[in-house]
Amino acid sequence: MTIANVNCGRPKAEARSPSLLKPENRSPKPGLIRLLASDIDGTLLNPQFQISDGDLAALRRAHEAGIEIMLVTGRRHTFALPIAKQLGFDLWLISSNGAVTRSLSGENFHRDLMPREVCRELCGAMQDFRGHTVLTFDKETKGAIVLEHLDDLNASIRRWLEKNMAYIEFVAPIEKALVSDPVQAMFCGSTSRMVEALRALDASGMGNRVTVLRTEYPERDLSMIDVLNTGCSKGHALQRWAEHRGYRREQVMAIGDNHNDVEMLEFAGHPVIMGNACEELRGRGWSVTLGNDKCGVAAAVADVVSG
């Protein structure tokens, strides 16, 4: 079965996106979805790291139809805000892979921080990866992002760090920064180096006290391992919000593309993966939309919003 391209330029008001490619014919009935949760990087953002006009118009159309839109991202809240504000309406963000749920205006719903003692033990267990270690804290001042040095971080993550330089503090040893509970620890580097980091995490014996989430971009040879408090993930945060708002699972659609989206997709009654999704997400019977270069979010929205 083939699927036509969505117009990713500025669509006419009456333009419709095509339906999804579905391994199983289980598209939700129009009007059923009450909450639409979308990942940002690799999903809502196209390969040029922008929201395509077609996706933007589709989310606005869904919002006008009464569907709550929520962005669910591995980014820090502050780093996700410029993307969220482009949508043009008020919404809530789940950021740092589920650790923080906060509104655009800064109102907190939930925070799930890692105990500093656990993070200190983690840093000790990952001695060989100190040059790849980044700690983040829930504040908007210098010291929100902490690392020992930039030497071992590859070009892709260094560009991200340079954009966030106003928040970065260099502390050696990094444990000295743990005067409060961090949001998370993150290990960044090439795919092969982060495979070694995952092995070290497995050998640390800390598996029952932390959550380990992985995000990979093979085309950039970039891998990020996020270590958060136990029981913290995009899926846990989305379930918590849905229950707070009174939505049943079958009223929730989630769209994602990477390893760190698995728990969110597993919770949603209607999971949708991008055409550019990683291999781990394929073969699970989840609906597949277009890639992020062809307005895949708009194609997913077309199945739940009429008109």
Side-chain angles (χ1 to χ4, degrees):
M1 179 178 178
T2 58
I3 185 166
N5 287 343
V6 173
N7 176 12
C8 279
R10 191 168 301 279
K12 296 179 181 178
E14 70 273 17
R16 289 292 310 278
S17 301
S19 295
L20 307 179
L21 266 172
K22 303 176 188 66
E24 300 172 11
N25 186 17
R26 54 193 180 97
S27 177
K29 295 178 181 179
L32 174 64
I33 298 301
R34 300 283 307 284
L35 174 63
L36 193 159
S38 175
D39 171 50
I40 291 181
D41 293 282
T43 300
L44 181 58
L45 296 188
N46 63 24
Q48 290 72 47
F49 302 101
Q50 298 174 343
I51 305 177
S52 298
D53 289 338
D55 286 338
L56 183 60
L59 289 180
R60 288 175 176 172
R61 191 162 59 246
H63 173 71
E64 291 167 1
I67 297 174
E68 180 174 1
I69 308 299
M70 193 169 212
L71 297 186
V72 187
T73 179
R75 293 182 179 218
R76 293 173 55 247
H77 179 82
T78 300
F79 200 51
L81 276 179
I83 306 300
K85 288 179 178 178
Q86 291 179 46
L87 299 184
F89 51 82
D90 197 23
L91 72 156
W92 286 76
L93 288 166
I94 292 174
S95 57
S96 295
N97 280 319
V100 177
T101 303
R102 182 174 291 150
S103 70
L104 286 188
S105 62
E107 180 184 355
N108 282 321
F109 170 70
H110 187 82
R111 297 194 311 161
D112 194 354
L113 305 182
M114 178 189 293
R116 71 197 79 171
E117 297 82 7
V118 173
C119 191
R120 187 173 289 111
E121 184 177 343
L122 174 70
C123 291
M126 299 293 286
Q127 285 282 351
D128 293 342
F129 299 90
R130 285 185 170 268
H132 301 273
T133 305
V134 180
L135 302 183
T136 64
F137 295 85
D138 190 25
K139 57 183 180 180
E140 303 312 323
T141 60
K142 201 170 188 66
I145 303 171
V146 177
L147 56 158
E148 290 192 353
H149 56 78
L150 286 172
D151 300 347
D152 297 333
L153 297 176
N154 70 14
S156 295
I157 196 67
R158 287 188 69 167
R159 285 195 294 272
W160 172 81
L161 290 167
E162 287 163 3
K163 289 180 180 179
N164 285 275
M165 197 55 71
Y167 301 104
I168 292 174
E169 188 172 13
F170 295 94
V171 178
I174 202 167
E175 288 91 339
K176 287 185 177 180
L178 292 170
V179 295
S180 61
D181 294 341
V183 174
Q184 67 176 82
M186 178 170 63
F187 302 94
C188 313
S190 67
T191 302
S192 59
R193 184 62 171 150
M194 290 303 98
V195 167
E196 296 173 5
L198 283 171
R199 292 195 189 106
L201 280 168
D202 286 342
S204 71
M206 299 187 66
N208 63 338
R209 286 180 289 158
V210 296
T211 298
V212 178
L213 300 173
R214 179 168 50 112
T215 309
E216 288 185 353
Y217 299 100
E219 67 281 0
R220 294 156 60 188
D221 191 25
L222 173 62
S223 180
M224 293 173 286
I225 301 168
D226 296 302
V227 184
L228 303 106
N229 193 28
T230 182
C232 180
S233 71
K234 289 184 177 184
H236 285 90
L238 184 61
Q239 179 177 358
R240 185 183 298 115
W241 181 256
E243 290 174 351
H244 167 71
R245 298 285 283 165
Y247 302 136
R248 303 185 306 274
R249 283 185 62 191
E250 60 267 27
Q251 295 176 310
V252 179
M253 172 182 277
I255 313 172
D257 76 301
N258 221 305
H259 305 277
N260 64 331
D261 295 316
V262 168
E263 289 82 2
M264 174 178 75
L265 293 162
E266 287 178 335
F267 166 72
H270 298 282
V272 178
I273 64 174
M274 299 296 291
N276 53 283
C278 66
E279 285 302 317
E280 182 185 353
L281 273 58
R282 301 180 182 277
R284 292 173 176 248
W286 290 338
S287 298
V288 183
T289 186
L290 297 169
N292 67 329
D293 61 337
K294 296 178 181 177
C295 292
V297 169
V301 170
D303 264 19
V304 298
V305 178
S306 58

